[in-house]
Amino acid sequence: MFTDVDCPHCRAFHADVTALNCLGIEVRYLAFARGGPESATAARMASAWCAGDPGAALAALKRDETIAAASCDDPVAAQFELGRQVGVEGTPTSVTDSGRLIHGHLAPSEMAVRLGLEPLGETH
């Protein structure tokens, strides 16, 4: 899923990850700062990807918390470019195993339907 830490719909999607996992849906994040790879958001996302625990740092940013600046050979600019190449225009955008794009935040049960899974009901 291409995500932006400042995107309210991405934050809602992030809040549903546990429910998605319970439905058998694996979520992997890719950075897509809507302001572009030179934006302040992209810099914050790079700090998350370079943190000792990137998952925790990303979750903190999605809760609008501050994280320590970190630097590394981060993949944020490359992930943004990949998103542009596959047709991402906004966030959140999910990419299925087959390469199909699913735009926006969907309820976990609706995401399961879109992925051709038999939803067992939403689990929160």
Side-chain angles (χ1 to χ4, degrees), residues 9-115:
H9 299 290
C10 296
R11 289 176 175 179
F13 187 105
H14 183 73
D16 286 340
V17 168
T18 299
L20 290 163
N21 293 160
C22 288
L23 292 169
I25 300 167
E26 180 182 7
V27 177
R28 297 183 196 175
Y29 286 117
L30 295 164
F32 194 85
R34 296 170 299 159
E38 302 300 320
S39 67
T41 298
R44 291 173 52 227
M45 292 174 77
S47 287
W49 258 260
C50 295
D53 184 345
L58 184 63
L61 289 176
K62 288 183 176 282
R63 291 189 304 268
D64 205 22
E65 297 173 5
T66 301
I67 63 169
S71 62
C72 64
D73 188 16
D74 74 84
V76 171
Q79 290 175 10
F80 181 84
E81 183 55 34
L82 175 63
R84 299 292 275 193
Q85 290 175 8
V86 300
V88 174
E89 295 178 354
T91 57
T93 298
S94 299
V95 182
T96 67
D97 288 343
S98 67
R100 184 171 50 104
L101 300 181
I102 300 174
H103 302 282
H105 170 240
L106 303 174
S109 59
E110 177 60 24
M111 180 63 84
V113 169
R114 293 273 183 101
L115 293 173

